[in-house]
Amino acid sequence: MSMIQVPYADFGKMHDPLRPALDAAWKRVMDREWFIAGEEDRAFEEAFAAWLGVKACVGVGNGLDALRLILMALDIGPGDEVLVPANTFIASALAVSYVGARPVLVDPDPETALITPAEAAKHITPRTKAVMVVQLYGRVADMDGFEALARDRNLILMEDAAQAHGATWRGRKAGTFGTAAGFSFYPGKNLGALGDAGAVVTDDPALARKVRALGNYGAYEKYHHELAGVNSRLDELQAALLTVKLAHLDAWMAERRRIAAVYEAEIRNGKIRLLRPDEGNGYHVFPVFCGERDALNRTLAEAGIHCQIHYPVPVHLQRAYADLGYHPGDFPAAEALAETELSLPLYPGMTEAQIAHVVDTLNRF
Ligand SMILES: *Cc1c(COP(=O)(O)O)cnc(C)c1O
């Protein structure tokens, strides 16, 4: 058995070279003694908005809150429906539930794992207020089509871009389409904090102001609560660390693409399917699909290669969503993806030997 170990991710490869800058960042916060929503937060928001090419960025507590604050700010609530993919991390749907609206699920295209405008259109009712496009795995959906759908059917278009830092659609970055987008900086994301963090991005400054107020107990002005808000702000420590890491994101994205290019060129096994190639892919997750997924996962684990499954249970089959009234078989594509998906290790700093070991083990399966 091979001695090469391949973890699913390796934070040290990213953080170790940045230790002096990361240490300086947290010391600066300690010295300044301002811990929430201050100068570091504003500096990161400006840097991230500039990197993305949007007018406004509001730092919030996490990615789930980014999505629910967008929905709150747009006055989406009880009686409203929001279209969400059936195959996503549960946060996309939970954000909708949080505001009292109903997540209406849409089956993905099995070739891309993304929802399409045509499939989404089938689920529009008079109650549909918005469509939340999830840029799953770092792949970007047909955003020209979704912009047209939103315009024609008078829907709000928003993105769950939690997995899509650095991904593009026809040259435009994920997170820049529609009314607003939510990002997560959960540690494992393409840009990760050293704890929980998230952001709302938008080209609408009034919406950004409202999101900021809603995340700060509904106050535009301290102790004057115009809205029934929540507490979801970006803390200074995470903002300072994120600013350091953001400067390296483009280089890390290039590494992700380099590793993925090897996987796409060299994985050759009739039992293993890849998704359709996507030029703008941000490669947050590199999924493969195999009818013998669990056996494949075991074989890889025995070879020292650690994979994950994104996600084993689609939203409509989660116990928490039993009350939506969906049944097994309602979203066949989402169910087939959940039963066969395996996410390969892919992270900045992965060595040629590690990449080759993954490819060899897959090809021999
Ligand atoms: C990570 C993630 C979220 C939630 O982000 P948190 O920061 O963990 O709250 C939302 N949607 C998707 C698709 C995600 O991958």
Side-chain angles (χ1 to χ4, degrees):
M1 192 174 296
S2 170
M3 297 304 291
I4 300 175
Q5 288 292 311
V6 190
Y8 183 71
D10 186 344
F11 293 114
K13 290 272 168 44
M14 277 187 287
H15 294 164
D16 289 350
L18 305 184
R19 278 301 287 270
L22 293 170
D23 288 345
W26 74 257
K27 282 181 183 141
R28 195 165 66 236
V29 174
M30 288 288 282
D31 290 342
R32 196 183 283 134
E33 299 185 348
W34 186 282
F35 298 110
I36 290 175
E39 277 177 49
E40 299 289 349
D41 185 6
R42 294 299 181 275
F44 173 69
E45 288 171 352
E46 272 177 33
F48 192 65
W51 177 84
L52 203 57
V54 292
K55 286 192 186 140
C57 170
V58 181
V60 299
N62 54 64
L64 168 60
D65 281 352
L67 300 171
R68 77 166 162 144
L69 286 165
I70 292 169
L71 294 165
M72 282 174 82
L74 295 168
D75 294 317
I76 290 172
D80 296 336
E81 295 177 352
V82 178
L83 303 179
V84 177
N87 64 321
T88 180
F89 181 55
I90 197 162
S92 318
L94 279 180
V96 177
S97 306
Y98 248 128
V99 300
R102 180 185 168 89
V104 171
L105 303 179
V106 178
D107 214 18
D109 175 350
E111 299 295 312
T112 63
L114 301 170
I115 58 170
T116 62
E119 191 62 27
K122 294 182 191 166
H123 299 274
I124 295 174
T125 75
R127 292 167 178 258
T128 311
K129 287 291 177 333
V131 49
M132 182 191 295
V133 176
V134 181
Q135 316 295 19
L136 195 73
Y137 304 144
R139 304 171 62 93
V140 186
D142 169 8
M143 296 315 289
D144 291 343
F146 276 108
E147 284 186 332
L149 181 73
R151 199 169 47 239
D152 296 347
R153 307 298 294 269
N154 196 26
L155 303 177
I156 289 162
L157 175 61
M158 63 179 283
E159 287 173 86
D160 176 345
Q163 301 191 359
H165 320 66
T168 59
W169 165 258
R170 300 193 172 154
R172 249 175 91 186
K173 276 189 173 138
T176 66
F177 299 90
T179 301
F183 277 92
S184 165
F185 306 115
Y186 178 79
K189 304 289 157 105
N190 285 2
L191 176 62
L194 276 61
D196 273 317
V200 172
V201 297
T202 177
D203 277 328
D204 178 347
L207 183 67
R209 256 172 53 78
K210 189 169 178 189
V211 165
R212 190 183 299 288
L214 282 167
N216 189 26
Y217 297 108
Y220 287 91
E221 190 189 334
K222 200 170 186 184
Y223 300 134
H224 296 267
H225 303 276
E226 279 188 45
L227 306 161
V230 300
N231 174 7
S232 187
R233 303 168 297 209
L234 183 58
D235 64 67
E236 292 285 279
L237 203 46
Q238 298 306 337
L241 299 168
L242 280 166
T243 301
V244 172
K245 292 185 70 175
L246 177 60
H248 300 269
L249 181 54
D250 287 332
W252 290 333
M253 294 305 304
E255 277 215 56
R256 288 185 171 278
R257 288 191 200 97
R258 174 185 64 83
I259 297 159
V262 178
Y263 283 164
E264 286 175 353
E266 296 186 6
I267 295 171
R268 291 281 175 269
N269 182 328
K271 292 178 173 173
I272 297 170
R273 178 175 81 89
L274 307 190
L275 294 176
R276 188 195 300 155
D278 166 13
E279 250 183 48
N281 200 331
Y283 296 111
H284 172 57
V285 165
F286 194 98
V288 297
F289 299 86
C290 177
E292 300 163 51
R293 187 259 315 276
D294 296 338
L296 177 62
N297 198 8
R298 271 195 304 278
T299 300
L300 288 160
E302 281 161 13
I305 300 163
H306 302 276
C307 298
Q308 293 195 8
I309 296 172
H310 298 98
Y311 296 92
V313 183
V315 175
H316 67 293
L317 301 182
Q318 297 284 357
R319 289 266 298 275
Y321 274 131
D323 64 339
L324 288 180
Y326 291 121
H327 302 287
D330 283 351
F331 300 98
E335 289 170 32
L337 293 172
E339 282 162 16
T340 57
E341 197 272 351
L342 194 64
S343 306
L344 303 183
L346 190 162
Y347 53 86
M350 217 175 155
T351 65
E352 297 305 323
Q354 286 174 316
I355 301 165
H357 183 47
V358 174
V359 170
D360 288 348
T361 310
L362 286 168
N363 288 351
R364 271 204 291 267
F365 177 71

